[in-house]
Amino acid sequence: MSTVDLKRKANLIRQDIISMLVPAKAGHPGGSLSAADIVTTLYFKEMRINPQNPNWADRDRFVLSKGHAAPVLYAALAEKGYFPKDELLGLRQTGRMLQGHPDMKRTPGVDMSSGSLGQGLSVANGMALAGKLDKKDYQVYVLLGDGEVAEGQVWEAAMAAAHYKLDNLTAILDYNGLQIDGPTDSVMSSAPLADKWRAFCWHVIEVDGHDIEALEKAFAEAKQVKGKPTILIAKTVKGKGVSFMENQVGWHGSAPNAEQAEQALKELREEGLSLGE
Amino acid sequence: MANKVATRDAYGKALLILGKENPNVVVLDADLSKSTKTAEFGKNYPERFFNMGIAEGNLLGTAAGLAAAGKVPFASSFAIFATGRAFEQIRNSIAYPKLNVKIAATHAGISVGEDGGSHQAIEDVAIMRALPNMVVLVPADGEETRQMVLAAAEYEGPVYIRMGRLEVPVLFGEDYHFEIGKAKVLKEGTDVAIMANGLMVAAALEAAELLAGEGISVSVVNVSSVKPLDEETILRVAKETRAVVTAEEHNIIGGLGSAIAEILGEKLPTPMVRVGLKDSFGESGRPYELLEKYGLGKEGLVKAVREALAKK
Ligand SMILES: Cc1ncc(C[n+]2csc(CCOP(=O)(O)OP(=O)(O)O)c2C)c(N)n1
Ligand SMILES: [Mg+2]
């Protein structure tokens, strides 16, 4: 897919995120919107996958370690054709397929259940180790939050990924500067992030997480790196694309009402038009 | 029962009382202070409030150190993360050395609702109850929570308090008296007893009322102190009714139902039915829809009572 088509897709995915959160009446717009360009680039450019065969043994894998951003994953999977887009409107409702946090037993295309922060990198390591054992050439991707990396397990896994030279693994850190109780710098400072990952012997690429062209290049570079894992430290804006949600900690975990959603969708449609839909 | 208060809101308010009365009380959270309601304490006593970020193992380990140095720490997160992620820190740094840490967890059970199975603790009572030295408490309403939090601060040693997300009916006034290790008979009956805790107490009272209309006399006992358990009251009520239904928003394995079955099995074998999750995880949905679906509504209780009576 061309860069401009990817931009259009990311815009559609942002619209899906807003639309599905309204009937759900609960969920996480901020961290879903901040990751929209990253997830779009992965699912529509980078990853070798087949929606007709979600369990294909040679597919690339994606672990949404920051599982609360499920809406962005669900939107990408629906846009990709893993399940009908109508399902998005059943998000978080009793008896439906799309759980509040990703559930691999219920949702085709979800490679790993998540929602409890800090566990995804270990799981991605396991998948990457299995890929090496089986001499398969699939890649494993994992998306982490910048608040999430306060979990000690992330650093246990960071050490192990470098130790086992997992060059078939690429992590992406959604560096939006916010968590729930406030800015990451005031809740639990994690800076300097790039230096920390470098000290853990990772190949580090700092990138604008909303610049799709730059993301494409970064993923291409990651694939070339041999003998160590790569992390993209992707500078993002929480709530990106919806003016009143951008950089607002209050939009971490509350859904827009119908009126707010209308405003958000209006902005997003205008952006879509400017991309020449 | 028109008024409703979430137990976590009552917890937040009780912390403010403690903040004022006891300078040794400190509060820790793990990036959920708005949800667990510790944020107000943080605003009022910023020097005694520590946000540890998303790091529950470190949260409980730090609380252990504060307790070892003479503080009275209340450490809060969602029940799943407080007891799950930090289990072994609780086991070896808090319960084993019997340190004075209060683990005050919110968002327990399936009434968490929309967040889904990953966030709904259904095993926390079982794992906390299996720890020597640990006191395990489950409040039924806001007033009981307030008294429980104050009692936990007075008590010397580790305490786990399990609270919910949802607003629940106000059941008790200030004349209610909570005591660690004591169960409360809320309603005397002769045919069958429902022994419940948490939000199942309100459901039990409703079910008892429904059944009274059919001439079935139901005793309702609030077993908010799961450990230590009030054996005397439980045995007395079981003897009077000869049929027991336990009700909890928890897996039927390892929680209140198990605790009561253990005592009755050894000392007074009694026909019993356990209401709870039937060894399954929860899922996303509206809280009351889920409670119904998993048999934790008043209909589920009424059905369980009939089963218990049939076993008599
Ligand atoms: C182990 C664990 N602790 C706490 C939570 C509750 N929680 C959900 S999202 C979140 C904040 C995440 O912040 P960040 O990682 O920065 O994500 P983003 O900003 O991308 O949404 C927290 C504390 C959780 N899901 N898992
Ligand atoms: Mg963040």
Side-chain angles (χ1 to χ4, degrees):
Chain A
M1 196 178 261
S2 72
T3 303
V4 65
D5 283 341
L6 286 170
K7 285 183 183 163
R8 290 192 190 116
K9 194 53 96 176
N11 175 269
L12 278 181
I13 282 177
R14 286 195 163 88
Q15 296 187 36
D16 292 339
I17 291 168
I18 297 299
S19 303
M20 80 177 90
L21 285 170
V22 179
K25 294 199 179 79
H28 299 82
S32 297
L33 292 168
S34 74
D37 301 298
I38 296 162
V39 171
T40 302
T41 308
L42 282 171
Y43 273 86
F44 290 87
K45 174 75 191 285
E46 200 49 35
M47 284 168 65
R48 184 177 73 197
I49 45 178
N50 177 2
Q52 267 66 57
N53 187 5
N55 298 321
W56 178 33
D58 291 325
R59 74 189 186 283
D60 288 347
R61 268 82 170 162
F62 176 69
V63 177
L64 183 64
S65 191
K66 42 168 270 186
H68 57 280
V72 69
L73 175 60
Y74 296 158
L77 293 175
E79 292 283 347
K80 219 40 208 177
Y82 281 89
F83 49 79
K85 273 186 81 170
D86 290 354
E87 277 296 337
L88 297 178
L89 300 178
L91 174 70
R92 290 178 163 245
Q93 286 165 44
T94 312
R96 299 296 295 264
M97 179 179 91
L98 297 181
Q99 298 296 295
H101 295 79
D103 182 337
M104 67 190 289
K105 289 278 181 217
R106 290 181 203 250
T107 310
V110 170
D111 289 319
M112 181 62 202
S113 300
S114 60
S116 179
L117 295 168
Q119 306 194 20
L121 184 54
S122 300
V123 175
N125 283 352
M127 292 173 173
L129 281 169
K132 292 212 176 247
L133 268 177
D134 292 344
K135 306 216 172 353
K136 289 192 182 291
D137 66 348
Y138 64 73
Q139 297 286 314
V140 182
Y141 298 92
V142 52
L143 181 64
L144 302 157
D146 56 351
E148 179 184 11
V149 298
E151 289 285 0
Q153 185 181 346
V154 173
W155 301 99
E156 297 172 23
M159 199 180 283
H163 179 82
Y164 287 106
K165 303 187 172 37
L166 298 180
D167 49 17
N168 51 349
L169 172 85
T170 303
I172 307 100
L173 200 151
D174 188 347
Y175 193 8
N176 59 29
L178 297 178
Q179 46 195 106
I180 294 184
D181 280 346
T184 300
D185 283 343
S186 69
V187 177
M188 182 53 62
S189 353
S190 55
L193 276 170
D195 286 348
K196 282 197 176 76
W197 288 91
R198 269 188 215 108
F200 275 73
C201 304
W202 283 56
H203 180 68
V204 176
I205 305 174
E206 293 178 84
V207 62
D208 175 346
H210 300 306
D211 180 341
I212 286 184
E213 213 173 334
L215 285 167
E216 290 177 272
K217 280 198 193 116
F219 283 123
E221 178 181 330
K223 258 192 200 151
Q224 299 310 312
V225 175
K226 292 292 161 229
K228 51 161 95 174
T230 295
I231 184 162
L232 275 54
I233 302 204
K235 191 79 202 73
T236 55
V237 172
K238 204 156 173 170
K240 175 74 178 179
V242 176
S243 60
F244 58 92
M245 290 184 177
E246 288 190 0
N247 283 316
Q248 296 301 313
V249 81
W251 284 105
H252 169 83
S254 42
N257 61 30
E259 201 180 313
Q260 291 162 329
E262 202 35 62
Q263 174 64 28
L265 288 172
K266 189 167 157 267
E267 288 181 18
L268 288 168
R269 281 190 212 110
E270 276 163 19
E271 192 212 311
L273 285 178
S274 76
L275 293 168
E277 261 172 357
Chain B
M1 295 205 298
N3 276 349
K4 285 189 163 193
V5 169
T7 48
R8 59 183 170 134
D9 279 314
Y11 167 56
K13 291 207 173 109
L15 282 182
L16 294 180
I17 302 173
L18 284 174
K20 199 158 151 195
E21 285 177 355
N22 187 343
N24 275 329
V25 166
V26 295
V27 177
L28 299 87
D29 206 295
D31 196 30
L32 286 169
S33 70
K34 289 176 207 155
S35 299
T36 63
K37 304 294 172 186
T38 64
E40 273 303 303
F41 182 97
K43 253 188 227 151
N44 284 273
Y45 305 99
E47 73 292 352
R48 284 193 272 151
F49 178 77
F50 304 99
N51 201 327
M52 306 311 292
I54 310 169
E56 296 77 11
N58 192 37
L59 171 84
L60 273 304
T62 307
L66 283 158
K71 300 296 171 199
V72 183
F74 279 76
S76 289
S77 180
F78 289 177
I80 187 68
F81 310 129
T83 66
R85 179 65 52 89
F87 174 72
E88 207 255 344
Q89 283 81 357
I90 295 173
R91 198 261 185 202
N92 273 328
S93 294
I94 294 173
Y96 183 51
K98 202 172 188 222
L99 285 169
N100 197 21
V101 174
K102 318 304 167 187
I103 306 157
T106 65
H107 293 65
I110 58 172
S111 60
V112 161
E114 292 83 352
D115 269 350
S118 61
H119 282 53
Q120 299 164 349
I122 54 147
E123 64 286 293
D124 53 318
V125 173
I127 59 182
M128 288 298 103
R129 194 169 77 84
L131 290 174
N133 292 336
M134 186 65 71
V135 167
V136 180
L137 309 175
V138 186
D141 83 340
E143 175 60 20
E144 185 170 44
T145 306
R146 185 184 72 84
Q147 295 188 22
M148 199 175 261
V149 170
L150 302 183
E154 284 298 310
Y155 172 86
E156 179 76 29
V159 177
Y160 175 60
I161 306 179
R162 176 195 218 227
M163 293 169 282
R165 165 185 174 227
L166 219 56
E167 292 191 338
V168 292
V170 172
L171 302 177
F172 311 125
E174 280 178 30
D175 56 336
Y176 182 82
H177 181 63
F178 167 80
E179 211 178 315
I180 293 175
K182 287 276 179 276
K184 286 270 173 196
V185 179
L186 303 181
K187 195 181 159 303
E188 297 277 359
T190 49
D191 297 326
V192 57
I194 305 179
M195 301 187 178
N197 64 22
L199 56 66
M200 296 307 292
V201 174
L205 289 167
E206 282 182 43
E209 212 165 292
L210 267 174
L211 288 157
E214 298 177 21
I216 300 170
S217 166
V218 182
S219 189
V220 177
V221 188
N222 177 19
V223 194
S224 48
S225 182
V226 178
K227 188 182 173 186
L229 198 59
D230 184 350
E231 285 197 23
E232 201 185 303
T233 302
I234 288 165
L235 289 172
R236 175 177 66 77
V237 174
K239 203 169 188 175
E240 283 162 12
T241 56
R242 301 303 306 158
V244 170
V245 170
T246 59
E248 62 194 314
E249 197 194 350
H250 188 276
N251 198 346
I252 54 166
I253 297 176
L256 176 70
S258 295
I260 289 175
E262 286 157 17
I263 288 184
L264 295 181
E266 282 187 353
K267 303 197 169 154
L268 183 70
T270 305
M272 229 190 124
V273 175
R274 290 169 298 153
V275 172
L277 287 144
K278 306 261 183 301
D279 201 19
S280 80
F281 290 109
E283 64 177 297
S284 288
R286 308 255 182 269
Y288 280 105
E289 277 176 27
L290 292 179
L291 289 167
E292 290 285 315
K293 177 167 178 175
Y294 287 86
L296 302 181
K298 60 176 180 287
E299 284 76 19
L301 276 176
V302 166
K303 195 168 149 254
V305 163
R306 291 193 213 289
E307 280 171 41
L309 286 171
K311 288 189 188 184
K312 242 174 139 169

